[in-house]
Amino acid sequence: RHGLLACYSAPQALFTDNGELNPDLPTLLAEAQTLNALWLKLSLGHFLHNQQLDELRDILSDSGMALVVENDQTDCGQLAQNLPISLTFDMGNWLWVGDSPEEAARHLAPAVSYIHVKAAEPHHEKFRAVPPDQAAERWLALLDNLPADAPRGIEFPLTGHDLTAVTRRYVNLLRED
C-alpha cells in the first residue's frame, strides 16, 4: 500500500572464516521467501576463491531468491573484494575499513542493486552513522554516483518527538534525490 519493499537482512556472512560457503544459506534463502522478501542480504565474509561460485549459482537458482552482499565494517568489507554478484552498497561502511566511498562508487556502481543510505562521522576511535543531510555535503553527492533506480534503505538513527514525521521526511528526501 505504501510502495515499500522487503529485504531480508540476515546477520551472517556468505562465506565462513575458513572460506567455505555458509552451510545455512539454503535455510536463510527459505526464510527470505517466507517473508516475501525480494532478496536476501548477507555480508561477504571470508571469500577466498571462485571454486564455490558454481555451487552458489545452483543454490540460488534452486531457491529462486536473489542475493545481495553488503560491504560490512570488517576487513572483509574492503574494496579489494571482487565478486560477480549484486551489491548492497552501504555508503558509510567504507570509512570503517579505510576505503573511500566515492572511489567505491566509481568502481562498483554497475553492480549495486540496493543502497544503505547513511553518512558516517568520526566518533571516538571509530565512526557513527548520521543522517546524510546533517553531515558533510559529500554524502548526498555520493547518491548521484550510484544507480538512481536502486532501492534505498535508511541506515541511520531516526530521532525526534514525532518519529512518523521524521521518517516521512527522510523517505521523501531519498525519493527526491
Side-chain angles (χ1 to χ4, degrees):
R1 188 175 97 196
H2 295 286
L4 301 176
L5 307 172
C7 169
Y8 180 41
S9 179
Q12 293 193 33
L14 179 58
F15 295 97
T16 64
D17 289 347
N18 64 2
E20 297 300 317
L21 201 55
N22 184 333
D24 295 333
L25 182 58
T27 301
L28 295 169
L29 290 163
E31 290 172 355
Q33 286 178 326
T34 300
L35 296 170
N36 275 340
L38 297 178
W39 58 81
L40 167 66
K41 182 195 68 68
L42 302 172
S43 62
L44 179 61
H46 295 274
F47 174 73
L48 299 177
H49 48 78
N50 290 330
Q51 293 175 349
Q52 296 105 333
L53 293 183
D54 286 338
E55 180 184 359
L56 176 59
R57 283 185 192 97
D58 290 344
I59 291 171
L60 293 175
S61 177
D62 290 345
S63 76
M65 178 62 57
L67 171 69
V68 296
V69 174
E70 177 181 13
N71 56 298
D72 64 15
Q73 298 172 8
T74 71
D75 59 350
C76 297
Q78 291 178 298
L79 185 56
Q81 299 291 349
N82 184 20
L83 281 175
I85 56 178
S86 184
L87 176 68
T88 295
F89 190 97
D90 188 302
M91 292 172 53
N93 281 357
W94 298 105
L95 296 181
W96 268 266
V97 296
D99 281 335
S100 160
E102 293 82 3
E103 183 178 339
R106 278 192 295 278
H107 291 287
L108 299 173
V112 172
S113 63
Y114 179 51
I115 303 167
H116 275 177
V117 177
K118 72 177 170 206
E121 293 183 339
H123 183 70
H124 301 294
E125 300 293 318
K126 298 191 180 202
F127 293 90
R128 67 178 176 161
V130 297
D133 64 335
Q134 295 179 16
E137 291 181 16
R138 78 186 281 192
W139 298 105
L140 287 176
L142 182 60
L143 281 172
D144 292 335
N145 295 313
L146 296 169
D149 61 344
R152 299 170 177 186
I154 294 172
E155 183 83 354
F156 51 86
L158 296 172
T159 59
H161 70 279
D162 185 349
L163 287 179
T164 300
V166 170
T167 303
R168 186 174 291 120
R169 177 177 173 270
Y170 282 110
V171 167
N172 289 333
L173 175 74
L174 296 181
R175 282 186 177 147
E176 291 172 8
D177 198 30

